[in-house]
Amino acid sequence: MTARSRREAAAAVLAALVAAVLLFVASGAHWAHGTGRRPAGTSFVTVHASVTGHSVAGVVQAVALLALAAAVAVPATRGRGRVVAGLLVLAGGVAGVVGSVSSRGHAQTHVRQALPSGAMIATDPWWVVAVIGSLLLAAVGAVLVVRGPRWSALSSRYQPPSGRTALPGDAGTWDALDRGDDPTV
């Protein structure tokens, strides 16, 4: 594997890990919150409500797990397997973008339902972080599909060189060792 291929593969793994972190953080953060006042006898009680990304956009956490799987799939697969993994990662990234954008309005609706009418509701930017993480993951998937088949796999460095492979009991191997030659090179 060339130095460029190693850098590309390492960058893909790093990008998948960064996407996973962004998606996990966005999933656990509050996407919308609000405050309202409810009558309680002769006074009012302040009521707070918030909703996390996990409760309104469960796809974000699922895509975060897919991002972790992508970080493992880059070195562990090769050839067509890496293309299939790339297509799955690309589809997961697109699903994360669609789920994040469409769930933004759901977050406001959930908070609005938990508060009395006239409450102040704000949307937090964590859905944007989920979109960024999903876009990064989709980019990793696209790179896996296009460039990934050219990279070597995790176990390829332990494969014998192309050509004749010596059997463990092959006399030629023992003769090479007796001469001081390393037959594994």
Side-chain angles (χ1 to χ4, degrees):
M1 177 151 70
T2 66
R4 180 179 177 188
S5 296
R6 279 193 294 273
R7 283 192 307 268
E8 287 176 353
V13 169
L14 181 63
L17 291 174
V18 168
V21 169
L22 289 173
L23 290 163
F24 275 126
V25 169
S27 175
H30 295 283
W31 284 26
H33 67 279
T35 304
R37 294 182 59 164
R38 212 174 247 149
T42 59
S43 65
F44 288 93
V45 175
T46 302
V47 181
H48 302 282
S50 63
V51 65
T52 63
H54 176 67
S55 59
V56 292
V59 70
V60 173
Q61 195 167 24
V63 172
L65 291 172
L66 179 65
L68 290 178
V72 173
V74 170
T77 59
R78 68 168 66 128
R80 290 185 194 153
R82 196 170 281 151
V83 170
V84 170
L87 290 172
L88 290 172
V89 169
L90 178 62
V94 170
V97 169
V98 171
S100 299
V101 171
S102 66
S103 296
R104 176 182 171 222
H106 296 304
Q108 291 175 340
T109 302
H110 283 293
V111 172
R112 188 171 286 117
Q113 291 173 349
L115 295 174
S117 62
M120 295 180 43
I121 299 170
T123 302
D124 296 319
W126 289 105
W127 69 274
V128 176
V129 175
V131 168
I132 291 169
S134 297
L135 286 172
L136 182 59
L137 187 62
V140 168
V143 168
L144 281 175
V145 169
V146 175
R147 301 285 298 167
R150 297 182 189 117
W151 305 335
S152 69
L154 187 65
S155 63
S156 66
R157 70 190 306 190
Y158 302 108
Q159 298 295 323
S162 60
R164 181 179 175 271
T165 58
L167 299 173
D170 192 2
T173 304
W174 293 110
D175 291 340
L177 285 173
D178 290 338
R179 286 190 309 269
D181 296 335
D182 186 1
T184 62
V185 177

